[in-house]
Amino acid sequence: MGPSSQRVDAVLGIDIGSTNVKVVALDAAGHVVARVRRATPRPAEDPSIDAALLFDTIEEMALAACGDHYTVTAACAAGVGEDGVLVDTALTPLTRALAWFDPRRTELLQALRPGLGPDDGIGTSTDAARTMIGWAWARSLPGTERAASWVALTDYVACRWSDTAFLSDTLAARTGAWRPLARTWLDARVEATLGSLDLLPPVLPTGTTVGELSSRRLTEAGVLAHGALVVAGGHDHPVGGWGVDRLHPGAVLDSMGTAEVVVAQTPAAPTPETQAVDVSPGIHNPTGATVLRVEELARNIQWASRDPDVAHAVNRLISGSAAPDSCLHSHAFHPGAAGGRPPSYAPDAPTEPLSRASAVLGALASLGENAITAVQALTTAHAPVYTAGGWARSQGWIDIKRAVTGREPQVIAEPEVTAVGAALLAAHALGWKPDTARALGTSPKTPANTAS
Protein backbone atom coordinates (compact mmCIF):
# COMPACT_ATOMS: atom_id res chain seq x y z
CA MET A 1 0.00 0.00 0.00
CA GLY A 2 1.45 3.41 -0.92
CA PRO A 3 1.20 6.58 1.14
CA SER A 4 -2.16 8.33 1.19
CA SER A 5 -2.56 11.29 -1.13
CA GLN A 6 -3.91 13.20 1.87
CA ARG A 7 -0.65 12.94 3.77
CA VAL A 8 1.78 15.87 4.07
CA ASP A 9 5.50 15.41 3.40
CA ALA A 10 7.71 15.60 6.48
CA VAL A 11 11.24 14.70 7.55
CA LEU A 12 12.10 12.77 10.69
CA GLY A 13 14.81 13.78 13.16
CA ILE A 14 15.83 11.13 15.68
CA ASP A 15 17.78 11.65 18.91
CA ILE A 16 19.07 8.44 20.50
CA GLY A 17 19.94 9.41 24.04
CA SER A 18 21.31 7.49 26.98
CA THR A 19 17.95 7.75 28.76
CA ASN A 20 15.35 8.52 26.10
CA VAL A 21 14.82 8.29 22.36
CA LYS A 22 13.08 11.23 20.71
CA VAL A 23 11.57 11.50 17.23
CA VAL A 24 10.28 14.73 15.72
CA ALA A 25 8.55 15.30 12.39
CA LEU A 26 9.28 18.59 10.62
CA ASP A 27 7.36 19.95 7.65
CA ALA A 28 8.86 21.91 4.77
CA ALA A 29 8.05 25.26 6.41
CA GLY A 30 9.90 24.35 9.62
CA HIS A 31 6.95 23.46 11.87
CA VAL A 32 7.56 20.63 14.33
CA VAL A 33 4.30 18.84 13.54
CA ALA A 34 4.75 15.75 15.73
CA ARG A 35 7.00 14.48 18.47
CA VAL A 36 7.36 11.10 20.17
CA ARG A 37 9.47 10.27 23.23
CA ARG A 38 10.18 6.85 24.74
CA ALA A 39 12.66 5.36 27.18
CA THR A 40 15.82 4.02 25.59
CA PRO A 41 15.35 0.24 25.72
CA ARG A 42 17.82 -1.26 28.21
CA PRO A 43 17.44 -4.47 30.23
CA ALA A 44 17.02 -3.87 33.95
CA GLU A 45 20.09 -5.91 34.84
CA ASP A 46 22.52 -4.45 32.26
CA PRO A 47 23.02 -0.91 30.88
CA SER A 48 23.98 -2.22 27.42
CA ILE A 49 21.55 -1.89 24.51
CA ASP A 50 20.18 -4.41 22.01
CA ALA A 51 20.53 -2.49 18.72
CA ALA A 52 17.88 -4.63 16.98
CA LEU A 53 15.35 -3.80 19.71
CA LEU A 54 16.29 -0.13 19.44
CA PHE A 55 15.67 -0.28 15.68
CA ASP A 56 12.19 -1.77 16.23
CA THR A 57 11.44 0.91 18.83
CA ILE A 58 12.43 3.70 16.43
CA GLU A 59 10.23 2.27 13.66
CA GLU A 60 7.30 2.18 16.09
CA MET A 61 8.01 5.80 17.00
CA ALA A 62 8.21 6.81 13.34
CA LEU A 63 4.77 5.29 12.76
CA ALA A 64 3.41 7.11 15.81
CA ALA A 65 4.88 10.42 14.64
CA CYS A 66 3.42 10.08 11.15
CA GLY A 67 0.01 8.79 12.25
CA ASP A 68 -2.56 9.36 9.52
CA HIS A 69 -1.18 12.74 8.52
CA TYR A 70 2.48 12.64 7.41
CA THR A 71 4.75 10.90 4.93
CA VAL A 72 8.46 10.35 5.57
CA THR A 73 10.55 11.87 2.79
CA ALA A 74 13.91 11.74 4.63
CA ALA A 75 15.23 10.71 8.03
CA CYS A 76 18.36 11.44 10.03
CA ALA A 77 19.51 10.12 13.42
CA ALA A 78 21.86 11.70 15.94
CA GLY A 79 22.68 10.61 19.46
CA VAL A 80 25.14 9.04 21.87
CA GLY A 81 28.68 9.34 20.66
CA GLU A 82 30.58 6.25 21.80
CA ASP A 83 28.31 3.16 21.91
CA GLY A 84 28.20 0.64 19.07
CA VAL A 85 27.98 -2.99 17.95
CA LEU A 86 29.70 -5.53 15.76
CA VAL A 87 27.40 -6.74 12.96
CA ASP A 88 27.49 -9.52 10.38
CA THR A 89 27.08 -9.08 6.62
CA ALA A 90 23.30 -8.77 7.04
CA LEU A 91 23.77 -5.98 9.65
CA THR A 92 22.53 -8.29 12.39
CA PRO A 93 24.08 -7.28 15.73
CA LEU A 94 26.47 -9.84 17.19
CA THR A 95 26.87 -7.97 20.49
CA ARG A 96 25.00 -5.51 22.62
CA ALA A 97 26.24 -1.92 22.75
CA LEU A 98 28.44 -1.32 25.77
CA ALA A 99 27.15 1.93 27.27
CA TRP A 100 29.59 4.82 27.31
CA PHE A 101 29.12 5.09 31.09
CA ASP A 102 29.49 1.36 31.86
CA PRO A 103 31.96 1.00 34.79
CA ARG A 104 33.61 -2.01 33.10
CA ARG A 105 35.25 0.41 30.69
CA THR A 106 37.68 1.79 33.28
CA GLU A 107 39.35 -1.56 33.90
CA LEU A 108 39.48 -2.25 30.17
CA LEU A 109 41.24 1.05 29.52
CA GLN A 110 43.83 0.34 32.21
CA ALA A 111 44.62 -2.98 30.56
CA LEU A 112 44.76 -1.53 27.05
CA ARG A 113 46.59 1.74 27.69
CA PRO A 114 50.18 0.40 27.42
CA GLY A 115 49.51 -0.82 23.87
CA LEU A 116 47.55 2.14 22.53
CA GLY A 117 50.46 4.26 21.39
CA PRO A 118 50.32 8.03 20.82
CA ASP A 119 47.11 10.03 20.60
CA ASP A 120 48.35 12.65 18.14
CA GLY A 121 45.52 14.59 16.54
CA ILE A 122 42.55 12.64 17.89
CA GLY A 123 40.84 15.85 19.00
CA THR A 124 39.64 14.51 22.35
CA SER A 125 40.91 12.87 25.52
CA THR A 126 41.84 9.21 25.82
CA ASP A 127 39.43 8.04 28.48
CA ALA A 128 37.25 5.05 29.26
CA ALA A 129 34.22 6.41 27.37
CA ARG A 130 35.94 6.22 23.97
CA THR A 131 34.48 3.88 21.35
CA MET A 132 37.72 1.92 21.04
CA ILE A 133 37.16 0.56 24.56
CA GLY A 134 33.86 -0.85 23.31
CA TRP A 135 35.71 -2.36 20.36
CA ALA A 136 38.00 -4.32 22.67
CA TRP A 137 35.09 -5.45 24.84
CA ALA A 138 33.06 -6.63 21.85
CA ARG A 139 35.97 -8.52 20.29
CA SER A 140 36.39 -10.50 23.52
CA LEU A 141 32.87 -11.96 23.27
CA PRO A 142 32.03 -15.33 21.71
CA GLY A 143 30.56 -15.33 18.21
CA THR A 144 32.23 -12.15 17.04
CA GLU A 145 34.54 -13.99 14.67
CA ARG A 146 31.65 -13.64 12.18
CA ALA A 147 31.79 -9.86 12.40
CA ALA A 148 31.82 -7.97 9.11
CA SER A 149 31.75 -4.42 10.46
CA TRP A 150 31.48 -2.13 13.45
CA VAL A 151 28.45 0.18 13.48
CA ALA A 152 27.80 3.03 15.90
CA LEU A 153 24.55 2.66 17.85
CA THR A 154 23.41 6.08 16.70
CA ASP A 155 24.04 5.17 13.04
CA TYR A 156 22.46 1.72 13.28
CA VAL A 157 18.92 2.68 12.25
CA ALA A 158 20.29 4.56 9.23
CA CYS A 159 22.50 1.59 8.31
CA ARG A 160 19.50 -0.74 8.46
CA TRP A 161 17.22 1.57 6.49
CA SER A 162 19.85 2.13 3.79
CA ASP A 163 21.33 -1.41 3.94
CA THR A 164 24.74 0.26 4.16
CA ALA A 165 27.34 0.04 6.91
CA PHE A 166 28.92 3.45 7.56
CA LEU A 167 30.20 5.64 10.38
CA SER A 168 29.29 9.32 10.68
CA ASP A 169 32.41 11.44 10.97
CA THR A 170 31.28 13.22 14.15
CA LEU A 171 31.01 9.73 15.70
CA ALA A 172 34.37 8.63 14.31
CA ALA A 173 35.75 11.60 16.24
CA ARG A 174 34.54 10.00 19.50
CA THR A 175 36.40 6.72 18.97
CA GLY A 176 39.77 7.84 20.33
CA ALA A 177 41.42 6.36 17.25
CA TRP A 178 40.57 8.81 14.44
CA ARG A 179 42.16 12.13 13.50
CA PRO A 180 39.18 14.39 12.67
CA LEU A 181 41.12 17.08 10.83
CA ALA A 182 43.31 14.68 8.84
CA ARG A 183 40.38 12.21 8.47
CA THR A 184 42.68 9.23 9.05
CA TRP A 185 42.71 6.33 11.50
CA LEU A 186 45.47 5.72 14.02
CA ASP A 187 46.18 2.20 12.82
CA ALA A 188 47.96 1.08 15.97
CA ARG A 189 45.01 2.04 18.16
CA VAL A 190 42.51 0.32 15.89
CA GLU A 191 44.56 -2.88 15.77
CA ALA A 192 45.09 -2.86 19.55
CA THR A 193 41.34 -2.66 20.25
CA LEU A 194 39.19 -3.62 17.25
CA GLY A 195 41.80 -5.98 15.87
CA SER A 196 41.53 -5.06 12.21
CA LEU A 197 41.01 -1.98 10.07
CA ASP A 198 38.84 -4.17 7.83
CA LEU A 199 36.05 -3.97 10.43
CA LEU A 200 35.76 -0.21 10.05
CA PRO A 201 33.07 0.93 7.61
CA PRO A 202 33.44 4.01 5.40
CA VAL A 203 33.41 7.30 7.34
CA LEU A 204 30.78 9.65 5.89
CA PRO A 205 30.46 13.38 6.58
CA THR A 206 27.51 14.20 8.79
CA GLY A 207 24.72 15.43 6.52
CA THR A 208 25.66 13.10 3.63
CA THR A 209 22.85 11.28 1.81
CA VAL A 210 23.54 7.59 2.44
CA GLY A 211 20.87 6.15 0.14
CA GLU A 212 17.18 5.42 -0.17
CA LEU A 213 15.17 4.51 2.90
CA SER A 214 13.83 0.96 2.70
CA SER A 215 11.48 -0.31 5.40
CA ARG A 216 8.83 -2.94 4.90
CA ARG A 217 7.06 -1.85 8.06
CA LEU A 218 6.86 1.84 7.11
CA THR A 219 5.92 1.00 3.51
CA GLU A 220 3.08 -1.31 4.54
CA ALA A 221 1.77 1.39 6.89
CA GLY A 222 1.66 3.85 3.99
CA VAL A 223 3.95 6.41 5.64
CA LEU A 224 7.03 6.10 3.41
CA ALA A 225 7.38 8.32 0.34
CA HIS A 226 8.85 6.86 -2.83
CA GLY A 227 12.57 7.64 -2.95
CA ALA A 228 12.75 8.74 0.69
CA LEU A 229 16.33 9.42 1.79
CA VAL A 230 18.52 8.28 4.65
CA VAL A 231 20.89 11.05 5.80
CA ALA A 232 23.97 10.48 7.95
CA GLY A 233 23.57 12.10 11.36
CA GLY A 234 26.15 11.67 14.08
CA HIS A 235 27.08 12.89 17.54
CA ASP A 236 24.15 14.60 19.25
CA HIS A 237 25.81 17.82 20.42
CA PRO A 238 27.42 18.76 17.08
CA VAL A 239 24.15 18.06 15.26
CA GLY A 240 22.16 20.21 17.69
CA GLY A 241 24.84 22.88 17.47
CA TRP A 242 24.65 22.84 13.67
CA GLY A 243 20.93 23.48 13.89
CA VAL A 244 21.56 26.50 16.10
CA ASP A 245 24.29 27.63 13.70
CA ARG A 246 21.51 27.94 11.11
CA LEU A 247 20.01 30.71 13.24
CA HIS A 248 23.25 32.69 13.16
CA PRO A 249 26.53 31.47 11.59
CA GLY A 250 29.06 30.87 14.35
CA ALA A 251 26.41 30.78 17.09
CA VAL A 252 27.34 28.95 20.29
CA LEU A 253 24.96 26.38 21.79
CA ASP A 254 25.11 26.06 25.59
CA SER A 255 23.18 22.86 26.27
CA MET A 256 22.57 22.01 29.90
CA GLY A 257 21.34 18.63 31.04
CA THR A 258 23.33 15.90 32.82
CA ALA A 259 26.35 17.90 31.71
CA GLU A 260 26.84 21.36 30.30
CA VAL A 261 27.97 20.98 26.68
CA VAL A 262 29.07 24.05 24.76
CA VAL A 263 29.42 23.57 21.00
CA ALA A 264 29.86 25.65 17.84
CA GLN A 265 30.89 25.47 14.20
CA THR A 266 34.16 27.30 13.53
CA PRO A 267 35.07 29.01 10.25
CA ALA A 268 38.56 27.50 10.35
CA ALA A 269 40.02 24.37 11.89
CA PRO A 270 41.64 24.96 15.31
CA THR A 271 45.40 24.64 15.55
CA PRO A 272 46.84 21.42 17.02
CA GLU A 273 47.84 23.41 20.09
CA THR A 274 44.18 23.97 21.03
CA GLN A 275 43.72 21.85 24.14
CA ALA A 276 40.69 23.46 25.77
CA VAL A 277 38.08 21.90 23.46
CA ASP A 278 37.22 18.65 21.69
CA VAL A 279 37.41 18.83 17.92
CA SER A 280 35.38 16.98 15.29
CA PRO A 281 34.70 17.70 11.61
CA GLY A 282 32.56 20.65 10.64
CA ILE A 283 29.04 19.92 9.39
CA HIS A 284 28.49 21.20 5.85
CA ASN A 285 31.60 23.19 6.75
CA PRO A 286 34.57 21.66 4.88
CA THR A 287 37.13 24.30 5.87
CA GLY A 288 36.09 24.53 9.51
CA ALA A 289 35.41 22.24 12.44
CA THR A 290 33.01 21.48 15.24
CA VAL A 291 34.40 22.39 18.65
CA LEU A 292 32.85 21.45 21.96
CA ARG A 293 33.62 21.42 25.64
CA VAL A 294 31.88 19.43 28.36
CA GLU A 295 31.58 20.38 32.02
CA GLU A 296 29.85 18.23 34.60
CA LEU A 297 26.65 19.42 36.24
CA ALA A 298 24.81 16.40 37.63
CA ARG A 299 27.81 14.80 39.37
CA ASN A 300 28.57 18.02 41.26
CA ILE A 301 24.95 18.55 42.24
CA GLN A 302 24.62 14.93 43.39
CA TRP A 303 27.74 15.29 45.54
CA ALA A 304 26.49 18.46 47.20
CA SER A 305 23.02 16.95 47.63
CA ARG A 306 24.29 14.25 49.96
CA ASP A 307 23.41 16.84 52.60
CA PRO A 308 19.59 16.97 52.40
CA ASP A 309 19.48 20.57 53.62
CA VAL A 310 21.87 21.65 50.86
CA ALA A 311 19.86 19.60 48.34
CA HIS A 312 16.70 21.45 49.38
CA ALA A 313 18.44 24.81 49.05
CA VAL A 314 19.84 23.89 45.62
CA ASN A 315 16.37 22.96 44.38
CA ARG A 316 14.89 26.22 45.66
CA LEU A 317 17.64 28.26 44.00
CA ILE A 318 17.30 26.46 40.66
CA SER A 319 13.54 26.84 40.63
CA GLY A 320 13.75 30.52 41.55
CA SER A 321 11.81 30.19 44.80
CA ALA A 322 14.85 31.44 46.75
CA ALA A 323 17.61 33.94 45.99
CA PRO A 324 21.31 33.12 46.39
CA ASP A 325 23.43 34.88 48.97
CA SER A 326 26.89 36.46 48.53
CA CYS A 327 28.56 33.03 48.40
CA LEU A 328 27.39 32.85 44.79
CA HIS A 329 30.56 34.76 43.89
CA SER A 330 32.89 32.95 46.30
CA HIS A 331 35.45 30.19 45.76
CA ALA A 332 34.00 28.03 48.52
CA PHE A 333 33.19 25.10 46.21
CA HIS A 334 35.62 23.25 43.94
CA PRO A 335 33.82 21.31 41.17
CA GLY A 336 34.90 17.79 40.31
CA ALA A 337 37.17 17.48 37.30
CA ALA A 338 37.75 15.07 34.45
CA GLY A 339 39.68 12.01 35.49
CA GLY A 340 37.54 11.42 38.53
CA ARG A 341 38.73 14.18 40.90
CA PRO A 342 35.84 14.56 43.36
CA PRO A 343 34.14 17.84 44.21
CA SER A 344 35.05 19.50 47.48
CA TYR A 345 34.42 22.52 49.66
CA ALA A 346 37.21 24.92 50.57
CA PRO A 347 38.43 24.61 54.16
CA ASP A 348 36.81 27.95 55.03
CA ALA A 349 33.52 27.21 53.25
CA PRO A 350 30.36 28.31 55.12
CA THR A 351 28.19 25.65 56.73
CA GLU A 352 24.78 27.26 56.15
CA PRO A 353 22.83 25.24 53.51
CA LEU A 354 21.83 28.30 51.45
CA SER A 355 25.41 29.55 51.40
CA ARG A 356 26.75 26.15 50.35
CA ALA A 357 24.10 25.82 47.66
CA SER A 358 24.89 29.33 46.43
CA ALA A 359 28.61 28.51 46.28
CA VAL A 360 27.96 25.29 44.35
CA LEU A 361 25.72 26.88 41.74
CA GLY A 362 27.96 29.95 41.41
CA ALA A 363 30.99 27.74 40.77
CA LEU A 364 29.10 25.69 38.17
CA ALA A 365 27.90 28.84 36.42
CA SER A 366 31.52 30.06 36.28
CA LEU A 367 32.65 26.69 34.93
CA GLY A 368 30.09 26.91 32.14
CA GLU A 369 31.19 30.45 31.36
CA ASN A 370 34.78 29.25 31.00
CA ALA A 371 33.58 26.68 28.47
CA ILE A 372 31.62 29.30 26.54
CA THR A 373 34.65 31.59 26.46
CA ALA A 374 36.91 28.80 25.16
CA VAL A 375 34.48 27.86 22.38
CA GLN A 376 33.50 31.42 21.48
CA ALA A 377 37.15 32.34 21.01
CA LEU A 378 37.33 29.88 18.11
CA THR A 379 34.23 30.98 16.25
CA THR A 380 33.11 34.24 14.66
CA ALA A 381 33.50 37.53 16.52
CA HIS A 382 30.58 38.46 18.78
CA ALA A 383 28.84 35.14 18.09
CA PRO A 384 25.56 34.90 20.03
CA VAL A 385 25.14 32.26 22.72
CA TYR A 386 21.91 30.25 22.78
CA THR A 387 20.91 28.26 25.84
CA ALA A 388 18.97 24.99 25.71
CA GLY A 389 18.30 21.84 27.71
CA GLY A 390 16.40 21.04 30.87
CA TRP A 391 18.27 23.53 33.05
CA ALA A 392 17.47 26.32 30.59
CA ARG A 393 13.82 26.02 31.60
CA SER A 394 14.60 26.69 35.28
CA GLN A 395 14.25 30.41 35.87
CA GLY A 396 16.36 30.45 39.02
CA TRP A 397 19.30 28.85 37.24
CA ILE A 398 19.03 31.29 34.34
CA ASP A 399 19.03 34.15 36.83
CA ILE A 400 22.15 32.72 38.49
CA LYS A 401 23.91 32.37 35.13
CA ARG A 402 23.06 35.99 34.36
CA ALA A 403 24.33 37.19 37.75
CA VAL A 404 27.62 35.29 37.53
CA THR A 405 28.45 35.79 33.85
CA GLY A 406 26.84 39.10 32.96
CA ARG A 407 25.36 37.46 29.86
CA GLU A 408 21.72 37.80 28.91
CA PRO A 409 20.74 34.23 27.96
CA GLN A 410 18.90 33.64 24.70
CA VAL A 411 16.83 30.59 25.57
CA ILE A 412 15.72 28.16 22.86
CA ALA A 413 12.16 27.08 23.56
CA GLU A 414 12.36 23.79 21.61
CA PRO A 415 13.05 20.98 24.12
CA GLU A 416 14.48 18.55 21.53
CA VAL A 417 17.27 20.58 19.91
CA THR A 418 19.24 17.52 18.74
CA ALA A 419 16.23 15.83 17.13
CA VAL A 420 15.30 19.08 15.38
CA GLY A 421 18.92 19.52 14.26
CA ALA A 422 18.78 16.05 12.74
CA ALA A 423 15.48 16.88 11.02
CA LEU A 424 17.04 20.06 9.62
CA LEU A 425 19.90 17.96 8.21
CA ALA A 426 17.33 15.70 6.53
CA ALA A 427 15.50 18.74 5.15
CA HIS A 428 18.79 20.19 3.86
CA ALA A 429 19.47 16.95 1.95
CA LEU A 430 16.12 17.36 0.18
CA GLY A 431 16.85 20.95 -0.75
CA TRP A 432 14.13 22.23 1.57
CA LYS A 433 14.61 25.61 3.23
CA PRO A 434 12.63 25.41 6.48
CA ASP A 435 12.48 28.36 8.85
CA THR A 436 15.09 27.44 11.48
CA ALA A 437 13.81 30.01 13.99
CA ARG A 438 10.37 28.45 13.77
CA ALA A 439 11.76 24.93 14.11
CA LEU A 440 13.77 25.77 17.22
CA GLY A 441 11.05 27.79 18.87
CA THR A 442 12.69 31.19 18.61
CA SER A 443 9.67 32.44 16.63
CA PRO A 444 5.96 31.53 16.90
CA LYS A 445 5.07 28.11 15.53
CA THR A 446 2.16 25.74 15.30
CA PRO A 447 1.96 23.37 18.29
CA ALA A 448 3.06 19.82 17.46
CA ASN A 449 1.04 16.65 17.91
CA THR A 450 2.58 14.64 20.73
CA ALA A 451 2.54 10.85 21.05
CA SER A 452 3.96 8.81 23.91
Side-chain angles (χ1 to χ4, degrees):
M1 179 177 72
S4 165
S5 60
Q6 301 302 310
R7 291 179 179 270
V8 175
D9 286 348
V11 294
L12 295 184
I14 303 159
D15 176 8
I16 300 166
S18 298
T19 304
N20 294 294
V21 182
K22 288 80 70 177
V23 173
V24 301
L26 190 76
D27 69 12
H31 297 102
V32 175
V33 293
R35 61 179 79 240
V36 185
R37 181 186 184 98
R38 294 189 184 169
T40 303
R42 297 183 190 273
E45 72 284 356
D46 187 339
S48 59
I49 293 177
D50 181 334
L53 178 58
L54 176 68
F55 175 78
D56 290 341
T57 299
I58 290 172
E59 288 212 322
E60 291 172 5
M61 296 172 72
L63 293 174
C66 290
D68 297 326
H69 305 291
Y70 302 104
T71 301
V72 179
T73 55
C76 178
V80 290
E82 293 81 14
D83 309 8
V85 292
L86 287 167
V87 298
D88 63 16
T89 55
L91 295 175
T92 302
L94 301 176
T95 63
R96 285 185 171 177
L98 184 70
W100 64 268
F101 54 82
D102 193 302
R104 289 174 288 185
R105 285 174 169 267
T106 300
E107 186 175 344
L108 280 167
L109 174 60
Q110 291 172 348
L112 290 165
R113 192 181 287 279
L116 292 178
D119 61 358
D120 300 341
I122 64 170
T124 188
S125 60
T126 296
D127 59 46
R130 297 297 139 239
T131 309
M132 63 179 179
I133 307 304
W135 290 344
W137 175 80
R139 290 295 289 170
S140 71
L141 301 178
T144 56
E145 63 277 358
R146 297 185 292 112
S149 184
W150 172 270
V151 173
L153 187 69
T154 288
D155 287 333
Y156 183 71
V157 64
C159 292
R160 282 282 300 272
W161 277 341
S162 63
D163 194 29
T164 303
F166 73 94
L167 182 61
S168 301
D169 60 0
T170 50
L171 295 175
R174 307 304 293 174
T175 62
W178 195 67
R179 299 182 183 95
L181 299 182
R183 301 186 70 86
T184 58
W185 291 104
L186 281 168
D187 295 3
R189 288 192 158 209
V190 175
E191 290 164 1
T193 53
L194 186 57
S196 172
L197 288 161
D198 293 338
L199 291 173
L200 290 169
V203 177
L204 299 182
T206 291
T208 299
T209 297
V210 183
E212 288 195 11
L213 197 164
S214 177
S215 166
R216 180 177 178 180
R217 190 174 187 182
L218 301 189
T219 299
E220 290 179 348
V223 306
L224 190 60
H226 177 71
L229 301 180
V230 176
V231 178
H235 190 204
D236 47 8
H237 301 300
V239 169
W242 177 83
V244 171
D245 187 77
R246 309 296 287 176
L247 290 173
H248 187 290
V252 177
L253 173 61
D254 179 17
S255 180
M256 297 176 293
T258 302
E260 183 164 6
V261 182
V262 181
V263 60
Q265 297 288 307
T266 65
T271 63
E273 291 75 26
T274 301
Q275 300 295 323
V277 296
D278 287 353
V279 179
S280 63
I283 300 176
H284 292 306
N285 178 19
T287 62
T290 303
V291 295
L292 67 87
R293 182 155 152 177
V294 181
E295 302 292 354
E296 296 185 29
L297 286 176
R299 185 165 75 98
N300 287 295
I301 294 296
Q302 289 165 359
W303 183 88
S305 296
R306 296 179 305 173
D307 181 331
D309 292 333
V310 173
H312 179 66
V314 165
N315 290 334
R316 293 185 66 214
L317 290 175
I318 291 174
S319 69
S321 62
D325 65 17
S326 60
C327 287
L328 185 70
H329 302 283
S330 72
H331 298 284
F333 176 72
H334 304 148
R341 190 187 78 194
S344 63
Y345 290 113
D348 59 348
T351 57
E352 295 81 0
L354 180 64
S355 295
R356 290 204 160 194
S358 298
V360 168
L361 294 177
L364 295 180
S366 293
L367 201 63
E369 177 62 15
N370 292 341
I372 292 170
T373 300
V375 168
Q376 200 172 33
L378 297 170
T379 186
T380 54
H382 310 297
V385 179
Y386 291 89
T387 300
W391 285 53
R393 292 185 287 280
S394 297
Q395 187 57 51
W397 173 246
I398 293 299
D399 290 343
I400 286 170
K401 291 273 281 188
R402 182 187 296 111
V404 170
T405 69
R407 293 183 187 272
E408 188 61 38
Q410 300 185 63
V411 178
I412 293 176
E414 171 55 50
E416 309 300 352
V417 172
T418 293
V420 170
L424 289 168
L425 279 171
H428 187 277
L430 292 172
W432 289 5
K433 298 186 183 300
D435 184 327
T436 304
R438 180 182 292 130
L440 289 172
T442 55
S443 69
K445 65 178 182 178
T446 303
N449 297 324
T450 301
S452 61

